[in-house]
Amino acid sequence: MNSYVNTAVGALLGTIFVLMSVSIASEGIFHSEAPEKEGFAIVAEEAPAAGGDAAPAVAVPIAQLLASADAKAGETVFKKCQSCHDATKGGPNKVGPNLFGAVDRPIASHEGFAYSAAMKDFSKGGSEKWTFENLNKFLLAPKKDIPGTAMGFAGLAKDQERANVILYLHTLADSPVPLPDPNAATQ
């Protein structure tokens, strides 16, 4: 072999040795343990089992869930919504519309917000309202309840979490509508 080939092979092996040494040293210096508790759990939507696009059935009537709901806990859960929604009176629209006074408000009617075509269709020209039942079904799985909605949230699978958020939204109004009677719920 000539000396140029030996020099090139030596340089290649030397470079590989240096790179591996730096890699091993940096792994030892900058190694970090996995956190004990994750910062924010991302809830992924599960695929439907047997091909239906219909919204999942709500097992417990919302009137019964609201009877044991906690608005303070709902305010905590609502923090998941605050990146896209404002809930202050007269507050701005964000990615989603302002939610102050949303309970019993006509669907797709908040002034100044550009709703998706699917949401406008679902509102039936503003005749449909965000009733407790509509909110419960929508918050369970928004994309399944209103296919084509622009809301990218996977939903709140836990009944009590949904009820807490709905009760919290109920408190965000100048004159909240009466809560439904839990004894009259037959759904």
Side-chain angles (χ1 to χ4, degrees), residues 66-159:
L66 287 172
S68 62
D70 177 12
K72 203 71 166 150
E75 183 177 8
T76 303
V77 175
F78 186 77
K79 290 180 182 177
K80 294 178 185 180
C81 311
Q82 286 180 326
S83 60
C84 297
H85 294 281
D86 185 74
T88 58
K89 183 176 182 177
N93 291 323
K94 292 183 172 182
V95 174
N98 181 294
L99 296 180
F100 185 85
V103 177
D104 209 41
R105 176 169 76 198
I107 295 173
S109 68
H110 191 269
E111 192 154 328
F113 187 76
Y115 289 93
S116 65
M119 190 64 76
K120 288 178 187 175
D121 290 344
F122 184 77
S123 75
K124 299 176 187 161
S127 64
E128 279 291 318
K129 292 186 174 188
W130 281 121
T131 62
F132 294 106
E133 293 80 16
N134 279 342
L135 282 167
N136 191 33
K137 286 189 336 189
F138 184 70
L139 291 176
L140 177 61
K143 294 252 185 226
K144 289 182 181 177
D145 187 44
I146 304 176
T149 183
M151 186 162 159
F153 185 63
L156 296 171
K158 295 179 182 173
D159 289 344

